[in-house]
Amino acid sequence: MDARHDLIERSVAPDASWIRPDIFSDEALYRLEQERIFGRCWLLLGHESQLPEPGSFFRTHMGEEPVLVTRTLEGEVRAFLNVCRHRGAQLCHEDRGVAKSFNCRYHGWAYACDGKLLAAPGEKQLYYGELDREEWGLIRVAQVESYKGLVFGNFDPDAPPLADYLGNMAWYLDILLDRRAGGTELLGVQRWRIPANWKIVAENHVGDEYHVGFTHGSQLTRPIESRAAPAPLAREIRPELGHGIGVDIIPEDLSPGERGGFDEEVNEYLRSIAGEMTERLGEMRPRLFPIHGLVFPTLGMVPILNSIRVIHPKGPNEIELWSYCMVDRDAPKRVKEILVQRSVSAFGPAGSFEQDDSANWTGVTRNTAGHQARKHRLNLSMGLGHEGEVDGLRGEVGLTASDINQRGFYLRWVQEMTGGQA
Amino acid sequence: MTLVDAQLLADLHFWYAREARLLDERRYDLWLETVDDAIRYQVPTRYLTAQADITDFGAWTVDRELAQASDVLLIDDDHAGISKRIERLQSGMAWAEMPPSITRRIVSNIEPGEAQEDGGIEVFSALLAFKSRGPDERSFLTAQRRDLLLPADGDFRLRRRLVIIDDTVLMGENLSIVL
Ligand code: FES
Ligand SMILES: [Fe+2]
């Protein structure tokens, strides 16, 4: 095996009870991630609600690649590299909008919103009518699929379908995406750069319940108790290796979907949809309140505050975080407003929670990069060997705060980086 | 254009200089006294947007680049929200501001706008905000402030503030200071 393979294997313990800091800073590993992780995994592009009409488009990224997502005039969602086929200029420069076609500003090649090359200036006289338009359309993202409103893309034409990729995670995502007939909508986006490696951010979303009591001490009403013994706020569930979700169990005295501490208007709304939720999801799932989670590799979720985010890597030492609010599309306007305002007050660059998160991620990235610090392993052993199964839940479960999902995340990383062999 | 009352301009310059100093000196208690109970303090998200009807300069405005009504902002605080923001800084556990950022706010281009019905004055200004927590954590941002000030007992109170940051992607690692 090559040196890179060695580096991958020595970065993560066989049981993922530890990792080495190289994983956060090594340039060669980062380059390989672009190929093996961001080139092969399903990545969130956005939500169908962001493409309300034919010709709607928005820009995003898949890994480091600039991507243009469109709704064609026939209503289909497509994604392309945002790169002109002629000489590689950036095709679309706006963040979002509606357009019938996209004109490259370098030499004027024009593309339809389904990616076809419509025209090139001088096709007859300068190209002698020999330019094959079929061949020179935009480069399509090999696969684009939606899961109940969320739109994902995959550069690998041979990747398994999205439903297989999500596996049991879909069953939990349904608590958010499928609890109402009208589905959800995505609002936003807040975008900001954080000088941190993408994996420390991803692992925080996938399973780090442990940090809540301390990092977010400024926001907790009983910080001292939480600091002494992190209460099992949530069960850490590992539906599939790499994906993770933390859920709170809603006590019997509350209605399904409800939660103490919410505005009365919101709880009133949640009570009003309890029947619909139960009808759609059964008895068990409406009693689970998703707190945080991750769809491997970079779709982070903080459903307790309606936040959905994509961690875009920008080199080993930097990310651009894109954070959206997700709400039930048919919720009353006032409820949406309350939820969005709550979300923004806690999450995003100015959020009372996330400010302190980003300070941690930056510190990890910066302070583990040195020659000495890199020699020493970091601990992921919490709850190792104490995972279990819970009747009615899908996947493995950590019964208290546990590193179960961070271990799953890094094991999945090894799996993907070594080409699918565990 | 209309000529401006020199005394008003002088009063505004003084008010903004003092406000910037109070924030830079972290005198949040004194700063909060300048804030009206009905304050709305907002920082919108901003997008690169087509200016397709470029011939119509009336439509070619900054506002088109800003978050629309139902969209997500970066900050959307009322008085309770902003008070919590300040309390947080003083909680001893706001790690992003422990130790606190060293800041400097430069406010210029102060331009009184329309007088409002309730006697308030709309004021535009430009903000340059710097913060540092040592050489690894330094950032600058510039923004337009659109404020509504209410004259009160020979002073002003801040009733509304819209901070339009001159970036679509925020470059500091967070927005941990009051703008
Ligand atoms: S690079 Fe786009 S038209 Fe030449
Ligand atoms: Fe956090």
Side-chain angles (χ1 to χ4, degrees), chain A residues 75-368:
Chain A
E76 230 185 289
V77 177
R78 296 246 174 116
F80 310 95
L81 286 185
N82 188 16
V83 176
C84 176
R85 292 300 305 283
H86 175 238
R87 204 74 102 245
Q90 178 177 340
L91 182 62
C92 177
H93 290 254
E94 296 155 52
D95 287 330
R96 57 190 192 181
V98 183
K100 286 215 177 64
S101 62
F102 297 92
N103 287 3
C104 179
R105 48 190 68 182
Y106 199 174
H107 310 90
W109 283 28
Y111 302 87
C113 27
D114 63 3
K116 285 204 190 82
L117 179 61
L118 286 174
E123 262 185 278
K124 276 219 181 79
Q125 296 86 344
L126 309 179
Y127 286 97
Y128 299 94
E130 292 162 5
L131 184 65
D132 182 354
R133 287 200 207 149
E134 291 299 313
E135 191 187 337
W136 294 98
L138 294 177
I139 300 295
R140 278 176 75 165
V141 173
Q143 302 192 60
V144 174
E145 274 195 68
S146 289
Y147 186 76
K148 298 185 181 177
L150 293 181
V151 182
F152 293 80
N154 196 317
F155 282 121
D156 182 0
D158 301 321
L162 178 61
D164 295 359
Y165 181 85
L166 295 173
N168 282 327
M169 187 66 179
W171 191 74
Y172 293 100
L173 289 177
D174 285 352
I175 302 171
L176 308 168
L177 300 174
D178 202 23
R179 62 189 198 158
R180 297 211 61 191
T184 55
E185 67 182 317
L186 213 56
L187 304 170
V189 56
Q190 304 172 323
R191 296 175 288 185
W192 73 110
R193 292 280 178 112
I194 303 173
N197 182 269
W198 68 273
K199 291 185 293 302
I200 188 67
V201 183
E203 73 139 274
N204 178 274
H205 284 80
V206 81
D208 199 325
E209 185 192 325
Y210 189 39
H211 82 291
V212 175
F214 206 91
T215 293
H216 303 304
S218 77
Q219 298 305 298
L220 300 179
T221 37
R222 290 180 301 137
I224 302 303
E225 287 89 319
S226 325
R227 285 162 61 170
L233 290 169
R235 287 161 198 263
E236 289 301 325
I237 302 170
R238 183 202 278 177
E240 304 285 347
L241 200 65
H243 307 325
I245 189 161
V247 300
D248 209 350
I249 311 295
I250 298 168
E252 290 298 330
D253 57 320
L254 294 177
S255 129
E258 208 180 342
R259 199 183 151 81
F262 275 16
D263 305 63
E264 188 42 35
E265 263 169 296
V266 173
N267 270 335
E268 203 176 289
Y269 165 69
L270 291 170
R271 281 194 294 275
S272 78
I273 65 164
E276 186 179 354
M277 280 178 81
T278 308
E279 203 173 291
R280 300 181 68 82
L281 301 170
E283 294 290 333
M284 174 99 184
R285 282 182 291 170
R287 291 255 155 231
L288 308 180
F289 197 107
I291 310 288
H292 64 81
L294 181 92
V295 175
F296 188 87
T298 45
L299 162 52
M301 301 183 291
V302 192
I304 185 171
L305 283 150
N306 296 76
S307 185
I308 294 284
R309 50 263 315 286
V310 181
I311 307 155
H312 296 292
K314 300 283 174 196
N317 306 320
E318 187 154 43
I319 60 156
E320 194 169 297
L321 200 49
W322 287 31
S323 183
Y324 308 83
C325 282
M326 193 168 76
V327 292
D328 294 336
R329 191 162 53 194
D330 294 338
K333 189 164 168 280
R334 182 65 198 138
V335 168
K336 287 185 194 176
E337 279 168 9
I338 295 173
L339 291 175
V340 169
Q341 197 173 17
R342 258 180 89 245
S343 179
V344 166
S345 80
F347 278 82
S352 55
F353 280 74
E354 197 142 35
Q355 287 179 37
D356 297 325
D357 285 318
S358 59
N360 286 334
W361 303 329
T362 305
V364 170
T365 304
R366 191 169 55 227
N367 285 16
T368 60

Side-chain angles (χ1 to χ4, degrees), chain B residues 6 18 33-34 40 73 79 82 93 119 128 164 169-170 174:
Chain B
R18 180 169 180 273
E33 286 174 16
T34 71
R40 193 73 187 260
L73 310 185
H79 195 275
I82 208 151
M93 276 187 286
L128 169 63
I164 300 171
V169 176
L170 205 71
N174 58 32

